[in-house]
Amino acid sequence: MQSVCVRRLWGSAQVSRLLKVTNINRSVRQLQHKKVMEDNKPWALTSEPGEGFVEDLTNIKKHFQILCYKDFLQNPQLHGPKIQAMLVWGKSPPTDPSTLRSLPSLKVVANGGVGIDHLDVPYINSLGVKVTNTPGVVSDATADMAMGLLLASARKIVQGHQISVDPNTTNHKPQSLMGVEVTGSTMGIIGMGHIGCRIAQRGKGFDMKVLYHNRTRRSVEEEQAVGATYCEKMDDLLKESDFVVLAVNLSPETTGLISTRELNLMKPTATLVNISRGRVVDQDALVKALKSETILAAALDVTYPEPLPRDHPLLGLPNVLITPHVGTDTLSTSRKIVQRMVENAVAVLKGQSIPNEVKPK
């Protein structure tokens, strides 16, 4: 009887050991398979997490092996030949000729955001490399920023906060905080693309009269949907608007679009809001217009350069509100941008239809 029990116990122990070995072997095979899959993923060059990219890079890692630009610089000769995609956020990684020439296997530059004025698209294309961007996903966040700047400037919200938290304040409601009515005022939007239309929607919510100027007129249905009226001449929009909002792409035609002549056409009670690009506005002319009270105020999410030199005259004017180009900076929008960048890059590498390819004009 005792020998039977011993045999049973011995047999159970062997089975247990066999199961453990089997499980270990299975885990090893799974890890080996996972490593093979990882090794087969294409390499993408990115900026450092936190330098534009959200910290969570999980979505990128599903499709790419990631090399940060800082690590790339340690040995470009070693790393350069394996890079097939660049995921560019802002101006990082740089797309200068020297960097691009060190990436002989590069197939795509996937830009985060709509603006591509920092990319030499014809040159990049000449290397056989596609360029993509992420229109649409940035529209709501940028339109929110435009309205936020407009409201903060009109109602002097920043000045009110500063007075409220200043320990030396004795008069908590000075006359200087008297603001401008937004509801029922006239907003003129220059540039009626995705973002411009979203801004118009928000203006409609404030019962604003919405005017717009664009290279091509939107359809009647699109105008009615956002309550916008087309101005064929930009001059007419400038003369009538209480708030002029710039939402154009930067191009040779829009560089310096707003200068002395245009500012002089605006009402002395008008505010200029810029969420497009800094170079759309002649900043020297803007400084003069603000100092001379040719216009009432300016609210800018973009400048040129960014950031402005600390002694730039715009920084010392009381009727200017400046934010550091954060129009798209929400967690939700940042994740959507990364998702679209990845989709574009994967499509290029797989030879599929590219959702958002940028082609030279």
Side-chain angles (χ1 to χ4, degrees):
M1 183 68 178
Q2 184 177 6
S3 63
V4 172
C5 291
V6 169
R7 284 198 299 274
R8 287 177 177 173
L9 288 171
W10 176 251
S12 297
Q14 285 182 314
V15 170
S16 178
R17 284 197 298 273
L18 181 61
L19 287 172
K20 287 180 179 178
V21 170
T22 301
N23 288 334
I24 290 171
N25 288 337
R26 183 183 295 115
S27 297
V28 169
R29 287 196 298 272
Q30 289 174 343
L31 288 171
Q32 289 174 335
H33 177 71
K34 183 177 181 182
K35 186 177 186 305
V36 169
M37 294 296 290
E38 287 289 334
D39 290 343
N40 287 336
K41 291 178 184 177
W43 282 88
L45 185 64
T46 73
S47 61
E48 291 294 311
E51 293 181 2
F53 279 114
V54 290
E55 295 292 337
D56 184 5
L57 299 177
T58 303
N59 190 49
I60 302 176
K61 290 179 178 178
K62 287 180 183 177
H63 301 276
F64 294 98
Q65 298 182 76
I66 297 175
L67 181 68
C68 293
Y69 182 64
K70 181 178 69 174
D71 296 330
F72 166 80
L73 290 177
Q74 300 300 313
N75 196 335
Q77 291 76 23
L78 173 66
H79 299 304
K82 63 187 178 184
I83 300 297
Q84 295 187 54
M86 284 184 74
L87 306 182
V88 178
W89 195 293
K91 297 181 180 180
S92 182
T95 56
D96 58 282
S98 176
T99 300
L100 292 172
R101 284 196 298 269
S102 69
L103 307 174
S105 303
L106 187 66
K107 298 292 188 294
V108 57
V109 173
N111 184 64
V114 180
I116 44 87
D117 49 280
H118 56 292
L119 301 175
D120 187 343
V121 177
Y123 175 73
I124 295 172
N125 287 168
S126 75
L127 301 175
V129 178
K130 302 285 188 183
V131 177
T132 66
N133 65 349
T134 62
V137 296
V138 303
S139 300
D140 284 322
T142 308
D144 288 347
M145 190 68 189
M147 285 304 298
L149 286 168
L150 188 155
L151 288 164
S153 179
R155 298 307 305 272
K156 302 190 177 182
I157 291 173
V158 175
Q159 296 94 319
H161 167 77
Q162 291 169 338
I163 288 171
S164 296
V165 300
D166 187 344
N168 299 314
T169 294
T170 55
N171 180 4
H172 284 271
K173 293 184 68 174
Q175 188 68 19
S176 62
L177 289 184
M178 191 67 67
V180 176
E181 191 85 12
V182 173
T183 299
S185 62
T186 298
M187 175 167 63
I189 303 170
I190 300 176
M192 198 66 159
H194 286 288
I195 295 171
C197 285
R198 294 295 195 276
I199 296 169
Q201 285 179 334
R202 285 150 179 77
K204 183 180 179 182
F206 280 85
D207 294 327
M208 301 177 84
K209 178 182 178 182
V210 179
L211 308 176
Y212 80 95
H213 174 75
N214 202 47
R215 286 180 301 177
T216 55
R217 183 173 180 174
R218 308 293 298 216
S219 69
V220 174
E221 293 76 18
E222 288 171 323
E223 289 179 349
Q224 290 176 344
V226 297
T229 301
Y230 179 62
C231 289
E232 184 176 356
K233 296 180 179 179
M234 188 175 73
D235 288 3
D236 294 336
L237 179 148
L238 293 170
K239 292 173 184 176
E240 294 184 41
S241 299
D242 300 303
F243 300 93
V244 174
V245 183
L246 304 177
V248 296
N249 292 325
L250 182 64
S251 68
E253 293 74 30
T254 61
T255 299
L257 181 68
I258 302 299
S259 192
T260 301
R261 176 185 171 278
E262 290 73 27
L263 292 165
N264 285 336
L265 290 174
M266 292 172 62
K267 297 178 180 180
T269 55
T271 297
L272 180 69
V273 180
N274 189 9
I275 48 85
S276 57
R277 286 292 187 268
R279 283 188 286 176
V280 171
V281 177
D282 178 342
Q283 288 181 166
D284 292 337
L286 179 60
V287 168
K288 292 177 182 177
L290 291 166
K291 284 183 174 180
S292 64
E293 299 182 352
T294 300
I295 65 172
L296 179 66
L300 315 170
D301 186 46
V302 289
T303 59
Y304 182 76
E306 293 175 356
L308 289 172
R310 297 299 84 187
D311 60 349
H312 195 282
L314 271 177
L315 301 181
L317 297 178
N319 49 349
V320 176
L321 174 60
I322 301 177
T323 51
H325 202 158
V326 291
T328 63
D329 288 13
T330 71
L331 283 175
S332 175
T333 295
S334 295
R335 289 180 177 126
K336 290 175 185 176
I337 291 173
V338 171
Q339 174 68 28
R340 185 64 61 85
M341 292 169 72
V342 169
E343 290 172 357
N344 285 326
V346 168
V348 172
L349 297 185
K350 290 186 175 181
Q352 300 170 344
S353 176
I354 307 168
N356 304 113
E357 182 177 0
V358 176
K359 296 182 179 180
K361 296 180 180 180

